[in-house]
Every structure is written in C-alpha cells, then in structure tokens.
Amino acid sequence: MLRRNEVAAGIKDYILRHHLKPGDLLPTEAELCEAVGASRSSVREAVKTLSALDIVEVRHGHGTYVGRMSLAALVESLAFRGLLSSEDDHLVLGEVVDVRQNIEQGFAPQVAQGLDTDQLARLRTLAAGMAEAAERGDDYLELDKQFHLLLMEPLGNDLIQQLTGAFWEVQSIVTPTLGSEHQGALTLTASLHMAIVEAAEARDAAALRTAVAAHYDPIRELIASVRRPSTA
Amino acid sequence: MLRRNEVAAGIKDYILRHHLKPGDLLPTEAELCEAVGASRSSVREAVKTLSALDIVEVRHGHGTYVGRMSLAALVESLAFRGLLSSEDDHLVLGEVVDVRQNIEQGFAPQVAQGLDTDQLARLRTLAAGMAEAAERGDDYLELDKQFHLLLMEPLGNDLIQQLTGAFWEVQSIVTPTLGSEHQGALTLTASLHMAIVEAAEARDAAALRTAVAAHYDPIRELIASVRRPSTA
C-alpha cells in the first residue's frame, strides 16, 4: 500500500517537474518506470489509483494523459455516503442542501451584480422550461442543474462550478430514495426558480438571498417528512 | 474500464442491500465474487478503485471493510490541481480561499449564536498559541486547522467539517509554493484570528463576518504579490 502510494507520488512529481497540464500525454509505461524507478506492475497499479482520482486519464489504445482532476471522485464517495444514510435519517442529503444554500446565498451580491443580460435571459428560459415540464407531469433534473451552474457563472470560479455540479449530482442521486415528487411539488419548485430569476433581474442581492433560501424549502420538507424520530 | 466500473457498482450494491455501515467487514473475496458474479481479478481491481475513493478500506491481513467515505480523494486531486496551477497564477489557491471565506461568512449567524463557553475558550487558547508561535518565528499550521474546524463545530454538519478540513489541507499543501511567510505576516495572521474570537465572544454575527473576511487578507495579498501579469 505504501509502495503504491510512493509510486503514485513519483508519477505526480514527474507531471509537476515536466510542467505537464491537463490533457497532456504522459510518457509510455516503460519510460515512466524508468523515470520513477519502479516496476511495470507497480506503475500500472499506481496509474489505476491516480485514474480513480482523475489525476490521470487512461485512454485505451492511445496512452495515459494528465487528467482533468474533476470532482468526480467527490461525487462518487459522497453520493454513496448519501445512499447509505438514506435508510435512516437522510443526514447526508440534509447536509448537502445546507451547504448548497449557504454557498448560493453567500455569493448573492456578486451574482446579482455580475449576471449579464444573456445569462439572465437564459435563466428565465430554464425556469420557464421547468414550469412547462411540471405542467406535463415530467421532472426537470437537467434544467435544474443547468440553472444552478449558470447562476454561479458570473463568479468565474471553477471550484464553485465544480462543487455546484458535484453537490447537485449527489442530491439528484439520493433524492429519489425519498419517494417520487408529485406534480404539485414540481410546479411549486419551478415557480420558486422563477422567483430567483426575478430577484436577479432586479439586481437585488437581499431578495436573491431570500429567493434562494425559499427555493430549498420543498426539499427540506420532503426530507423532514420521511425522517423518522430517533429511537436513541 | 466499463467492466471495472460495473463490478465496483456491484460491490456498492452489495453494501447497500446488506445495510452495511462504515467500518463493517465485507465478505471474503471468494464470497464477493459469487455475490456480484465476477472473477477474482475483476473484484480485486474494483476493490482497488473503491479503495482509492475511500468507499472500502483494505486492511492487509484482516480483510476489506466499508470505508469512511472521507473527502481524502477530494483533497488529493484538488491539492494536485493547486500545485499544477502554482507555477502560473495560483488560480486554484485563490478559488479555495474564496470558497472557504464564503462558507465561514455564510454560517456566521449560526456560529456566533451556537458556540458554547467551552468552545469559545478553546478558540481563544488556539489564537493565543498562534501568537506565541509567531513570536518564536514558528508557523502554526496545526493550530490554524484546529481553529477553523472548531469554528464550524456548532453547525453539527459533518460535510462542512470535512470540506473545511479538505480545503484547509489543500491550502496548506499549496501555500508553501508562494514562498515562506515572514514573521510579520505570522504575527498579523495570529492577531486576525484573535479578532475572530472576540467577535464570536460578543455573539456579533456582523462583526464575525467582517473579522473572517479580514483574516483572509494576508493570504490574498500573498497570492496577488506572486501572480505575474498575464501575457495573453
């Protein structure tokens, strides 16, 4: 285990020393073995570990590349933790909702000021699309995700974009264990997104904070409704 | 690759169906092969992937256990991304600082209300320890980490604790690439932590928000000082 981590550290060191960037090709396995002073099987093992973390990306038949270091690993472990806790109290889902709300509220001033006309128009289109889907009785997961990513776009902070996407993924994986949402909840949530758009259009940071908070009420109520009283 | 992910999904499914919790022992490799309908080598590969994500934990000589699903994988990939970007503009470090500040400011009202007498006393002790270390010319990474974890403790949100720890780790790995901090900066940062304690003791959420923001000024200035103008 230690050995595998050492070889992985050697490969990361190689990437740093050679100033490689995400998407750059790594040397062949044979060259990598020589560079880090390890056997072929150790290097292969280490590459698998780094691949699970998206630090490298193995494209079969092409070679190994520096990865995008996305938060995919975060999504996978957090979503699974969420599913594990879904059978008792949905603790993890509640925590994810708290963090999402806190981040979106905290950046409300920059968002209210920073959204340009095009972004505002796209937010409105997405919220309108949600209302239409709800009217047909369909859910609108993808529109919802696009909405929240777009809302944070003015910040120009890639980590925020990735966290927003990651937490949204976790929530969308775990929420179905709460039972299916009925049409009334879908319609309500769509209208709460439109209220966010209206606050943003008015460039009103305080109203945006309030609208963001209100928009998390239905999911909080859903969590509370299935949470059984503790028997401790 | 697909195959490996399918077997990993099978193992996760096994954990869910058998209501296993972090720390619980998984069946033997042979039993796991039968349960998920895969070969020994596929199961071994999948276990390695899940182990990199801390979804399972392999204790050599003892067996494989359900992991703690920590954010260790997030730290590893984000810290490495931070190191990669350290040679140009420290973009990732700047993003991490923004997110940390946003989270701590956002929860200021709950923190100011929620800290109990014991927690306040421990915060004061930590800030005093930082000042003493600075006087000796020593840094105080561990005290700083404990301080920020303790500050978020009243929220009772494990995800926040883990994110706080993870972002702090990333920052502490990447910051040394900015060059060593001189004693003046250490003394200043220690006193800015004491200002946070005083705002918390006064249960003043607005003052706490201000003190938290001010405490990130030195690191922001350090980043700005090494950031070279873009040549694009």
Side-chain angles (χ1 to χ4, degrees):
Chain A
M1 195 61 195
L2 186 66
R3 187 72 192 128
R4 178 144 66 116
N5 286 342
E6 277 169 21
V7 178
I11 296 173
K12 291 202 285 185
D13 227 48
Y14 181 96
I15 295 171
L16 284 172
R17 275 185 292 114
H18 290 78
H19 309 288
L20 299 182
K21 297 286 168 204
D24 285 352
L25 184 63
L26 282 169
T28 64
E29 200 172 80
E31 289 165 335
L32 216 47
C33 291
E34 202 178 306
V36 305
S39 69
R40 234 164 218 264
S41 65
S42 307
V43 165
R44 208 168 290 159
E45 287 298 302
V47 163
K48 280 174 194 161
T49 301
L50 293 174
S51 160
L53 301 171
D54 204 14
I55 288 177
V56 304
E57 186 197 342
V58 180
R59 297 184 203 155
H60 291 289
H62 289 86
T64 301
Y65 295 78
V66 180
R68 292 168 304 115
M69 281 151 267
S70 70
L71 302 190
L74 170 68
V75 174
E76 188 161 349
S77 70
L78 200 56
F80 190 63
R81 190 143 60 99
L83 287 173
L84 274 187
S85 86
S86 71
E87 55 181 31
D88 34 58
D89 56 2
H90 292 281
L91 186 68
V92 172
L93 184 57
E95 291 178 349
V96 167
V97 169
D98 280 351
V99 175
R100 289 188 62 198
Q101 178 176 335
N102 182 66
I103 289 178
E104 291 182 347
Q105 285 194 310
F107 287 116
Q110 294 96 309
V111 169
Q113 284 310 307
L115 285 163
D116 64 26
T117 321
D118 173 58
Q119 288 165 330
L120 286 168
R122 280 153 61 209
L123 281 173
R124 181 169 274 278
T125 304
L126 287 167
M130 291 180 202
E132 285 161 26
E135 213 162 300
R136 294 190 306 270
D138 296 340
D139 66 21
Y140 41 73
L141 284 177
E142 189 53 35
L143 297 178
D144 190 294
K145 181 179 187 176
Q146 294 309 321
F147 186 94
H148 290 278
L149 287 172
L150 182 51
L151 197 63
M152 295 291 109
E153 220 175 75
L155 305 173
N157 180 322
D158 186 52
L159 178 58
I160 297 282
Q161 288 295 113
Q162 288 210 53
L163 284 173
T164 299
F167 292 142
W168 190 93
E169 292 285 345
V170 172
Q171 190 175 321
S172 75
I173 291 167
V174 181
T175 301
T177 64
L178 295 170
S180 64
E181 290 179 284
H182 53 80
Q183 193 171 354
L186 288 170
T187 303
L188 173 62
T189 299
S191 73
L192 293 170
H193 280 89
M194 192 55 91
I196 293 175
V197 177
E198 280 158 10
E201 285 172 343
R203 309 250 177 238
D204 184 338
L208 183 56
R209 284 177 57 83
T210 307
V212 161
H215 135 280
Y216 285 105
D217 285 346
I219 178 78
R220 282 187 204 286
E221 278 160 29
L222 195 55
I223 293 171
S225 73
V226 297
R227 192 172 279 183
R228 294 187 302 247
S230 165
T231 54
Chain B
M1 193 63 195
L2 186 66
R3 187 72 191 128
R4 180 145 64 116
N5 286 342
E6 276 168 23
V7 179
I11 296 172
K12 291 203 285 184
D13 226 50
Y14 182 95
I15 295 170
L16 284 173
R17 274 186 293 113
H18 290 79
H19 309 289
L20 300 182
K21 296 287 168 204
D24 284 353
L25 183 64
L26 281 169
T28 65
E29 200 172 80
E31 288 165 335
L32 215 45
C33 290
E34 201 178 304
V36 304
S39 70
R40 235 164 216 263
S41 65
S42 309
V43 165
R44 211 169 288 159
E45 287 299 301
V47 163
K48 281 174 192 160
T49 301
L50 293 174
S51 161
L53 301 171
D54 205 14
I55 289 176
V56 305
E57 185 196 343
V58 180
R59 297 184 202 156
H60 291 289
H62 290 87
T64 301
Y65 295 78
V66 179
R68 289 168 307 116
M69 281 151 268
S70 71
L71 301 190
L74 169 69
V75 173
E76 188 162 349
S77 69
L78 200 57
F80 190 63
R81 190 143 60 97
L83 288 173
L84 273 187
S85 87
S86 71
E87 56 180 31
D88 36 58
D89 57 1
H90 292 282
L91 187 66
V92 172
L93 185 56
E95 291 179 349
V96 167
V97 170
D98 280 352
V99 175
R100 288 188 63 198
Q101 179 176 336
N102 183 66
I103 289 178
E104 291 182 346
Q105 285 195 309
F107 286 116
Q110 295 95 311
V111 169
Q113 283 311 307
L115 285 163
D116 63 27
T117 320
D118 173 57
Q119 288 164 331
L120 286 169
R122 279 154 62 208
L123 281 172
R124 180 169 274 279
T125 304
L126 287 167
M130 291 181 202
E132 285 161 26
E135 214 162 300
R136 294 190 306 268
D138 296 339
D139 66 20
Y140 41 72
L141 284 177
E142 189 53 35
L143 297 178
D144 192 305
K145 181 179 187 178
Q146 293 309 321
F147 186 95
H148 290 278
L149 287 172
L150 182 51
L151 198 62
M152 295 292 108
E153 220 175 74
L155 304 172
N157 179 322
D158 185 52
L159 178 59
I160 298 282
Q161 289 293 114
Q162 289 211 51
L163 284 174
T164 298
F167 291 143
W168 190 93
E169 291 284 346
V170 172
Q171 190 175 323
S172 74
I173 291 168
V174 181
T175 301
T177 65
L178 294 171
S180 65
E181 289 181 284
H182 54 81
Q183 192 172 356
L186 288 170
T187 304
L188 174 61
T189 299
S191 73
L192 293 170
H193 279 89
M194 192 54 91
I196 293 175
V197 177
E198 280 158 11
E201 286 172 341
R203 308 250 176 239
D204 184 337
L208 183 57
R209 284 178 56 84
T210 307
V212 162
H215 135 282
Y216 285 105
D217 286 345
I219 178 78
R220 282 187 203 286
E221 278 159 29
L222 195 56
I223 294 172
S225 72
V226 297
R227 192 172 280 182
R228 294 187 302 247
S230 166
T231 54

